[in-house]
Amino acid sequence: MRTGSEPRQARSPLRMRRVFTVWGLAWALVGTAFFAVAGRPGWAIVFGVVALVAAVDLAVIAHRIRQGPHWQPGPDVPPYDPADRH
């Protein structure tokens, strides 16, 4: 049932996001190394920046997971109440 308040109450699947971030970080590091060895410093810098962004995102995800079920509710946490319509 849609209440119209979903964006304000959206939840992020942090464990899935962590898997995608680790995957992207691995490929960014491989790309950085490949282009650095191939003598393409511009592309190596681009991939290095992507790796840096992925590493920061990974740190944010780890912080939010450590905050507990308020930030990543499991099946035992009930959904939020619908927003009041006034």
Side-chain angles (χ1 to χ4, degrees), residues 4 8 13 17 22 36-37 43 53 56 65-66 72 78-79 81 85:
R8 190 176 46 184
R17 185 173 150 195
V22 169
V37 170
W43 282 106
V53 169
V56 169
I65 287 175
R66 279 193 302 267
Q72 185 184 14
D81 291 331
R85 295 185 186 242

Side-chain angles (χ1 to χ4, degrees), residues 16-84:
M16 181 176 64
R17 185 173 150 195
R18 180 178 57 188
V19 169
F20 288 143
T21 301
V22 169
W23 180 255
L25 178 61
W27 276 105
L29 292 173
V30 168
T32 302
F34 173 78
F35 284 115
V37 170
R40 306 288 287 200
W43 282 106
I45 290 171
V46 169
F47 275 84
V49 169
V50 170
L52 180 64
V53 169
V56 169
D57 189 37
L58 195 56
V60 170
I61 292 167
H63 174 71
R64 292 216 175 136
I65 287 175
R66 279 193 302 267
Q67 284 182 326
H70 174 72
W71 293 101
Q72 185 184 14
D76 57 330
V77 177
Y80 292 107
D81 291 331
D84 293 333

